[in-house]
Amino acid sequence: MPADLLTTSDLLRSVFRRHAAGVAVVTARGDAGPVGFTATSLTSVSADPPLLSFGVGTGASSWPALAGADHVGVHVLGEHQQELAATFARSGADRFGAPTAWREGPEGVPVLDGVLAWLVGRVVARVPAGDHRIVIAEVVHGDPTGTGRPLLYHQGRFRRLGD
């Protein structure tokens, strides 16, 4: 379909399919247990104070827990974690059941094992943005020492980083 015939929503999606993005999983502790979802909208916002942001749809199953969470976990996934990324992206999946390896981390936030890096942030804002919220969190804990190469998302698929 010619680009000038696309609706603006379709145009936005089409353009961002061409934008390669790192893959993260965001987690939080909910009243009924841990919640989480796959995100490609992770952004470093500020170094001083150390702030990060990510977007989440208000219709997402994780949103009710995230809407009230004081802290969130952010996990940078490696190439070896395509199935984990797919599990956290799939609606209705048992995201924290086997084979997902995780533990309760700082501030009670679920922390995934085997990731390249993880952070725990204290939520400081939830900014309305259309059918999403932009969550801003101040980094309070983390571990950047995982090994491997990052997982990417491009053209609707999880991919490996090429040299």
Side-chain angles (χ1 to χ4, degrees), residues 56-64 91 131-133:
V56 58
T58 56
S61 61
S62 298
W63 173 243
S91 180
D131 61 356
H132 279 60
R133 295 296 180 269

Side-chain angles (χ1 to χ4, degrees), residues 71-74 105-107 109 111 118-122 138-142:
H71 292 84
V72 294
V74 176
E107 312 298 339
V109 172
V111 172
W118 60 266
L119 297 167
V120 169
R122 180 180 58 81
E138 182 173 2
V139 174
V140 293
H141 302 281

Side-chain angles (χ1 to χ4, degrees), residues 6-120:
L6 294 172
T7 67
T8 53
S9 294
D10 289 337
L11 177 60
L12 179 72
R13 281 190 283 275
S14 293
V15 168
F16 273 89
R17 279 188 195 104
R18 296 175 181 273
H19 174 71
V23 181
V25 168
V26 175
T27 61
R29 182 180 56 208
D31 291 339
V35 299
F37 68 98
T38 300
T40 57
S41 59
L42 179 63
T43 304
S44 170
V45 175
S46 168
D48 188 18
L51 299 175
L52 61 83
S53 72
F54 58 87
V56 58
T58 56
S61 61
S62 298
W63 173 243
L66 287 164
D70 293 330
H71 292 84
V72 294
V74 176
H75 308 81
V76 177
L77 301 190
E79 289 178 332
H80 62 287
Q81 295 177 304
Q82 288 186 23
E83 189 54 42
L84 181 68
T87 296
F88 275 83
R90 195 169 27 254
S91 180
D94 182 5
R95 296 173 178 159
F96 290 91
T100 301
W102 66 281
R103 65 191 182 285
E104 185 173 310
E107 312 298 339
V109 172
V111 172
L112 302 176
D113 294 338
V115 296
L116 297 186
W118 60 266
L119 297 167
V120 169

